[in-house]
Amino acid sequence: MRPLVEPPNMQEGQRIPRYLEKLGFGPRDVDIVFIGHLHFDHVGGLHDLPGCTVHVQADEVAAARTGPDGSVFADELANSNQWEIKTGEYLVAPGVHAISSPGHTAGHMSLFIELQKGPPVILCGDAADLRENLVEEIAPGYCWQDNASLALGSIRKLKALESREKCELWPNHDMDFFMSLPRFPAWRD
Ligand SMILES: [Zn+2]
């Protein structure tokens, strides 16, 4: 997303616990939340998940605390008692790998997920928020310290993983792509 955009008003039915209910779960069933980056549209629901462990990258926290990124909200940084600070790439859970993809933000991470059926998926996050970022190798609209080359390097890294691991890259703000997926509460195995 771009900086300094006002978040839309959220409806009660859009809160994370309401979505979990539809799957027969509650907030206490969630052990770990993986944060790809600290922009408000990626962390704004955390207070609905008390008691879980929140994985956040050290570089992301350090950069956010310097203050110039208008899409990181101070009250969300203040609520850090659930955070487990991580450094670099690691195994989040069996079959779930944290992939470093900086550029959109200083410590941006993507998520490589092995599935029971079909090819693995990489949730690109905002390293590639739209398909055109991947297909045409265009840096995201916002780059940390205007460092487009860092962001482009991450896009190329994700594409190299796609070809090496035979996985799918999912851009995470692309409405056309989103509409091509099964609609919640349906899912892909
Ligand atoms: Zn973002």
Short mmCIF file of all heavy atoms in Angstrom, two decimals, residues 45-88:
data_model
loop_
_atom_site.label_atom_id
_atom_site.label_comp_id
_atom_site.label_asym_id
_atom_site.label_seq_id
_atom_site.Cartn_x
_atom_site.Cartn_y
_atom_site.Cartn_z
N GLY A 45 -5.38 -5.89 12.94
CA GLY A 45 -6.29 -6.76 13.67
C GLY A 45 -5.65 -7.50 14.83
O GLY A 45 -6.30 -8.32 15.47
N LEU A 46 -4.39 -7.18 15.15
CA LEU A 46 -3.67 -7.97 16.15
C LEU A 46 -4.32 -7.93 17.53
O LEU A 46 -4.27 -8.92 18.27
CB LEU A 46 -2.22 -7.47 16.28
CG LEU A 46 -1.23 -8.03 15.26
CD1 LEU A 46 0.15 -7.44 15.52
CD2 LEU A 46 -1.19 -9.54 15.32
N HIS A 47 -4.95 -6.82 17.87
CA HIS A 47 -5.53 -6.74 19.21
C HIS A 47 -6.73 -7.67 19.37
O HIS A 47 -7.20 -7.89 20.47
CB HIS A 47 -5.90 -5.29 19.56
CG HIS A 47 -6.97 -4.74 18.68
ND1 HIS A 47 -6.68 -4.23 17.43
CD2 HIS A 47 -8.30 -4.64 18.83
CE1 HIS A 47 -7.81 -3.83 16.86
NE2 HIS A 47 -8.80 -4.07 17.69
N ASP A 48 -7.22 -8.23 18.25
CA ASP A 48 -8.29 -9.23 18.32
C ASP A 48 -7.74 -10.63 18.61
O ASP A 48 -8.51 -11.58 18.68
CB ASP A 48 -9.06 -9.28 16.99
CG ASP A 48 -10.07 -8.16 16.87
OD1 ASP A 48 -10.49 -7.61 17.91
OD2 ASP A 48 -10.44 -7.82 15.73
N LEU A 49 -6.42 -10.75 18.71
CA LEU A 49 -5.79 -12.06 18.93
C LEU A 49 -4.88 -12.02 20.16
O LEU A 49 -3.67 -12.28 20.07
CB LEU A 49 -4.98 -12.47 17.70
CG LEU A 49 -5.81 -12.68 16.42
CD1 LEU A 49 -4.90 -12.78 15.20
CD2 LEU A 49 -6.69 -13.91 16.54
N PRO A 50 -5.45 -11.72 21.34
CA PRO A 50 -4.61 -11.67 22.54
C PRO A 50 -4.11 -13.07 22.88
O PRO A 50 -4.79 -14.05 22.63
CB PRO A 50 -5.57 -11.15 23.61
CG PRO A 50 -6.92 -11.56 23.13
CD PRO A 50 -6.87 -11.51 21.63
N GLY A 51 -2.90 -13.15 23.40
CA GLY A 51 -2.39 -14.44 23.87
C GLY A 51 -1.57 -15.20 22.85
O GLY A 51 -0.89 -16.16 23.22
N CYS A 52 -1.62 -14.81 21.58
CA CYS A 52 -0.79 -15.53 20.60
C CYS A 52 0.59 -14.87 20.53
O CYS A 52 0.78 -13.74 20.97
CB CYS A 52 -1.46 -15.56 19.23
SG CYS A 52 -1.59 -13.94 18.49
N THR A 53 1.54 -15.60 19.95
CA THR A 53 2.88 -15.06 19.74
C THR A 53 2.93 -14.42 18.37
O THR A 53 2.49 -15.01 17.39
CB THR A 53 3.91 -16.20 19.82
OG1 THR A 53 3.84 -16.78 21.12
CG2 THR A 53 5.32 -15.69 19.57
N VAL A 54 3.48 -13.20 18.29
CA VAL A 54 3.54 -12.46 17.04
C VAL A 54 4.99 -12.38 16.58
O VAL A 54 5.83 -11.80 17.27
CB VAL A 54 2.95 -11.04 17.21
CG1 VAL A 54 3.06 -10.26 15.90
CG2 VAL A 54 1.49 -11.12 17.67
N HIS A 55 5.29 -12.98 15.44
CA HIS A 55 6.65 -12.94 14.89
C HIS A 55 6.85 -11.65 14.08
O HIS A 55 6.09 -11.39 13.15
CB HIS A 55 6.90 -14.13 13.96
CG HIS A 55 7.03 -15.44 14.66
ND1 HIS A 55 7.45 -16.59 14.05
CD2 HIS A 55 6.80 -15.77 15.97
CE1 HIS A 55 7.49 -17.59 14.93
NE2 HIS A 55 7.08 -17.12 16.10
N VAL A 56 7.86 -10.88 14.44
CA VAL A 56 8.19 -9.63 13.75
C VAL A 56 9.70 -9.59 13.54
O VAL A 56 10.47 -9.97 14.43
CB VAL A 56 7.75 -8.39 14.58
CG1 VAL A 56 7.92 -7.12 13.77
CG2 VAL A 56 6.32 -8.52 15.06
N GLN A 57 10.12 -9.12 12.37
CA GLN A 57 11.55 -9.04 12.07
C GLN A 57 12.23 -7.87 12.80
O GLN A 57 11.67 -6.76 12.88
CB GLN A 57 11.76 -8.83 10.57
CG GLN A 57 11.74 -10.10 9.77
CD GLN A 57 12.97 -10.98 9.98
OE1 GLN A 57 14.10 -10.53 9.82
NE2 GLN A 57 12.74 -12.24 10.32
N ALA A 58 13.46 -8.11 13.25
CA ALA A 58 14.22 -7.07 13.96
C ALA A 58 14.43 -5.83 13.08
O ALA A 58 14.27 -4.70 13.55
CB ALA A 58 15.57 -7.64 14.40
N ASP A 59 14.79 -6.03 11.82
CA ASP A 59 15.01 -4.88 10.93
C ASP A 59 13.74 -4.07 10.74
O ASP A 59 13.77 -2.84 10.61
CB ASP A 59 15.49 -5.35 9.54
CG ASP A 59 16.93 -5.82 9.57
OD1 ASP A 59 17.62 -5.60 10.58
OD2 ASP A 59 17.37 -6.42 8.56
N GLU A 60 12.60 -4.76 10.72
CA GLU A 60 11.32 -4.09 10.52
C GLU A 60 10.99 -3.21 11.74
O GLU A 60 10.59 -2.06 11.60
CB GLU A 60 10.24 -5.16 10.32
CG GLU A 60 8.88 -4.65 9.92
CD GLU A 60 8.83 -4.12 8.50
OE1 GLU A 60 9.79 -4.31 7.74
OE2 GLU A 60 7.82 -3.48 8.16
N VAL A 61 11.22 -3.77 12.91
CA VAL A 61 10.95 -3.02 14.14
C VAL A 61 11.88 -1.81 14.25
O VAL A 61 11.44 -0.69 14.54
CB VAL A 61 11.11 -3.94 15.37
CG1 VAL A 61 10.93 -3.13 16.65
CG2 VAL A 61 10.11 -5.08 15.31
N ALA A 62 13.17 -2.03 13.98
CA ALA A 62 14.15 -0.95 14.10
C ALA A 62 13.80 0.19 13.16
O ALA A 62 13.83 1.37 13.54
CB ALA A 62 15.55 -1.48 13.80
N ALA A 63 13.45 -0.14 11.91
CA ALA A 63 13.11 0.91 10.94
C ALA A 63 11.83 1.62 11.31
O ALA A 63 11.74 2.85 11.23
CB ALA A 63 13.00 0.29 9.55
N ALA A 64 10.83 0.86 11.75
CA ALA A 64 9.54 1.46 12.09
C ALA A 64 9.69 2.45 13.25
O ALA A 64 9.02 3.48 13.30
CB ALA A 64 8.53 0.37 12.45
N ARG A 65 10.60 2.14 14.16
CA ARG A 65 10.77 3.02 15.33
C ARG A 65 11.51 4.30 14.98
O ARG A 65 11.56 5.23 15.79
CB ARG A 65 11.48 2.25 16.45
CG ARG A 65 10.59 1.16 17.03
CD ARG A 65 10.89 0.82 18.49
NE ARG A 65 9.74 0.16 19.11
CZ ARG A 65 9.75 -1.07 19.61
NH1 ARG A 65 10.85 -1.78 19.62
NH2 ARG A 65 8.66 -1.57 20.16
N THR A 66 12.10 4.37 13.77
CA THR A 66 12.73 5.62 13.37
C THR A 66 11.68 6.65 12.93
O THR A 66 11.99 7.83 12.85
CB THR A 66 13.73 5.42 12.21
OG1 THR A 66 13.02 4.97 11.04
CG2 THR A 66 14.79 4.39 12.59
N GLY A 67 10.48 6.18 12.59
CA GLY A 67 9.36 7.10 12.44
C GLY A 67 8.97 7.64 11.10
O GLY A 67 7.85 8.12 10.96
N PRO A 68 9.81 7.61 10.03
CA PRO A 68 9.40 8.36 8.83
C PRO A 68 8.33 7.68 7.98
O PRO A 68 7.82 8.30 7.06
CB PRO A 68 10.71 8.46 8.02
CG PRO A 68 11.51 7.28 8.46
CD PRO A 68 11.14 7.03 9.88
N ASP A 69 7.98 6.43 8.24
CA ASP A 69 7.01 5.71 7.42
C ASP A 69 5.60 5.97 7.96
O ASP A 69 5.22 5.44 9.01
CB ASP A 69 7.34 4.21 7.43
CG ASP A 69 6.48 3.43 6.46
OD1 ASP A 69 5.37 3.89 6.13
OD2 ASP A 69 6.92 2.36 6.02
N GLY A 70 4.83 6.78 7.26
CA GLY A 70 3.50 7.19 7.73
C GLY A 70 2.49 6.07 7.76
O GLY A 70 1.38 6.25 8.28
N SER A 71 2.81 4.90 7.23
CA SER A 71 1.88 3.77 7.24
C SER A 71 2.10 2.85 8.43
O SER A 71 1.44 1.82 8.55
CB SER A 71 2.01 2.97 5.95
OG SER A 71 1.61 3.77 4.86
N VAL A 72 3.05 3.21 9.30
CA VAL A 72 3.23 2.48 10.57
C VAL A 72 2.65 3.35 11.67
O VAL A 72 3.06 4.48 11.86
CB VAL A 72 4.73 2.20 10.85
CG1 VAL A 72 4.90 1.50 12.19
CG2 VAL A 72 5.33 1.35 9.73
N PHE A 73 1.67 2.80 12.40
CA PHE A 73 0.97 3.58 13.42
C PHE A 73 1.63 3.39 14.78
O PHE A 73 1.90 2.25 15.20
CB PHE A 73 -0.50 3.17 13.50
CG PHE A 73 -1.31 3.56 12.28
CD1 PHE A 73 -2.66 3.23 12.21
CD2 PHE A 73 -0.75 4.27 11.24
CE1 PHE A 73 -3.42 3.60 11.10
CE2 PHE A 73 -1.50 4.64 10.13
CZ PHE A 73 -2.84 4.30 10.06
N ALA A 74 1.84 4.50 15.48
CA ALA A 74 2.56 4.47 16.76
C ALA A 74 1.87 3.59 17.79
O ALA A 74 2.55 2.88 18.55
CB ALA A 74 2.71 5.88 17.29
N ASP A 75 0.53 3.56 17.82
CA ASP A 75 -0.13 2.78 18.87
C ASP A 75 0.07 1.28 18.64
O ASP A 75 0.07 0.50 19.59
CB ASP A 75 -1.62 3.12 18.97
CG ASP A 75 -2.36 2.92 17.66
OD1 ASP A 75 -1.71 2.83 16.61
OD2 ASP A 75 -3.61 2.87 17.70
N GLU A 76 0.30 0.87 17.39
CA GLU A 76 0.56 -0.55 17.14
C GLU A 76 1.98 -0.93 17.55
O GLU A 76 2.24 -2.06 17.97
CB GLU A 76 0.29 -0.88 15.67
CG GLU A 76 -1.22 -0.92 15.42
CD GLU A 76 -1.62 -0.83 13.96
OE1 GLU A 76 -0.78 -0.59 13.10
OE2 GLU A 76 -2.82 -0.98 13.72
N LEU A 77 2.92 0.02 17.46
CA LEU A 77 4.28 -0.24 17.94
C LEU A 77 4.32 -0.31 19.46
O LEU A 77 5.13 -1.02 20.05
CB LEU A 77 5.23 0.85 17.45
CG LEU A 77 5.50 0.90 15.96
CD1 LEU A 77 6.45 2.04 15.63
CD2 LEU A 77 6.08 -0.41 15.46
N ALA A 78 3.43 0.46 20.09
CA ALA A 78 3.41 0.49 21.56
C ALA A 78 2.92 -0.83 22.13
O ALA A 78 3.30 -1.23 23.23
CB ALA A 78 2.54 1.64 22.04
N ASN A 79 2.06 -1.53 21.36
CA ASN A 79 1.46 -2.78 21.85
C ASN A 79 2.31 -3.97 21.42
O ASN A 79 1.91 -4.79 20.62
CB ASN A 79 0.04 -2.90 21.28
CG ASN A 79 -0.68 -4.12 21.80
OD1 ASN A 79 -0.36 -4.59 22.88
ND2 ASN A 79 -1.62 -4.63 21.03
N SER A 80 3.54 -4.06 21.97
CA SER A 80 4.50 -5.05 21.48
C SER A 80 4.77 -6.18 22.48
O SER A 80 5.72 -6.92 22.31
CB SER A 80 5.81 -4.36 21.11
OG SER A 80 6.33 -3.69 22.24
N ASN A 81 3.94 -6.31 23.51
CA ASN A 81 4.23 -7.34 24.52
C ASN A 81 4.06 -8.76 23.99
O ASN A 81 4.55 -9.71 24.59
CB ASN A 81 3.38 -7.14 25.78
CG ASN A 81 1.90 -7.11 25.48
OD1 ASN A 81 1.52 -6.79 24.35
ND2 ASN A 81 1.07 -7.43 26.44
N GLN A 82 3.36 -8.93 22.84
CA GLN A 82 3.20 -10.27 22.26
C GLN A 82 4.33 -10.60 21.28
O GLN A 82 4.38 -11.72 20.78
CB GLN A 82 1.89 -10.36 21.46
CG GLN A 82 0.61 -10.21 22.25
CD GLN A 82 -0.57 -10.04 21.30
OE1 GLN A 82 -0.97 -8.93 21.01
NE2 GLN A 82 -1.12 -11.14 20.81
N TRP A 83 5.17 -9.64 20.98
CA TRP A 83 6.12 -9.82 19.89
C TRP A 83 7.25 -10.78 20.25
O TRP A 83 7.77 -10.75 21.35
CB TRP A 83 6.74 -8.49 19.48
CG TRP A 83 5.80 -7.55 18.81
CD1 TRP A 83 4.45 -7.73 18.61
CD2 TRP A 83 6.12 -6.28 18.28
NE1 TRP A 83 3.93 -6.64 17.97
CE2 TRP A 83 4.93 -5.75 17.75
CE3 TRP A 83 7.28 -5.55 18.18
CZ2 TRP A 83 4.88 -4.49 17.14
CZ3 TRP A 83 7.26 -4.30 17.58
CH2 TRP A 83 6.07 -3.78 17.07
N GLU A 84 7.62 -11.60 19.25
CA GLU A 84 8.86 -12.37 19.32
C GLU A 84 9.70 -11.88 18.15
O GLU A 84 9.33 -12.07 17.00
CB GLU A 84 8.55 -13.87 19.20
CG GLU A 84 9.75 -14.76 19.41
CD GLU A 84 9.36 -16.24 19.46
OE1 GLU A 84 8.44 -16.59 20.23
OE2 GLU A 84 9.96 -17.02 18.69
N ILE A 85 10.79 -11.19 18.46
CA ILE A 85 11.60 -10.56 17.42
C ILE A 85 12.46 -11.62 16.73
O ILE A 85 13.19 -12.38 17.39
CB ILE A 85 12.50 -9.46 18.02
CG1 ILE A 85 11.67 -8.45 18.83
CG2 ILE A 85 13.29 -8.75 16.91
CD1 ILE A 85 10.65 -7.69 18.04
N LYS A 86 12.38 -11.68 15.40
CA LYS A 86 13.11 -12.67 14.61
C LYS A 86 14.15 -11.97 13.74
O LYS A 86 13.99 -10.80 13.39
CB LYS A 86 12.14 -13.43 13.70
CG LYS A 86 11.08 -14.22 14.46
CD LYS A 86 11.75 -15.36 15.19
CE LYS A 86 10.81 -16.45 15.57
NZ LYS A 86 11.49 -17.55 16.30
N THR A 87 15.20 -12.73 13.38
CA THR A 87 16.24 -12.18 12.50
C THR A 87 16.44 -13.13 11.32
O THR A 87 16.77 -14.31 11.52
CB THR A 87 17.56 -12.02 13.27
OG1 THR A 87 17.33 -11.17 14.39
CG2 THR A 87 18.63 -11.38 12.38
N GLY A 88 16.21 -12.64 10.11
CA GLY A 88 16.46 -13.43 8.90
C GLY A 88 15.42 -14.52 8.67
O GLY A 88 14.34 -14.50 9.25
#
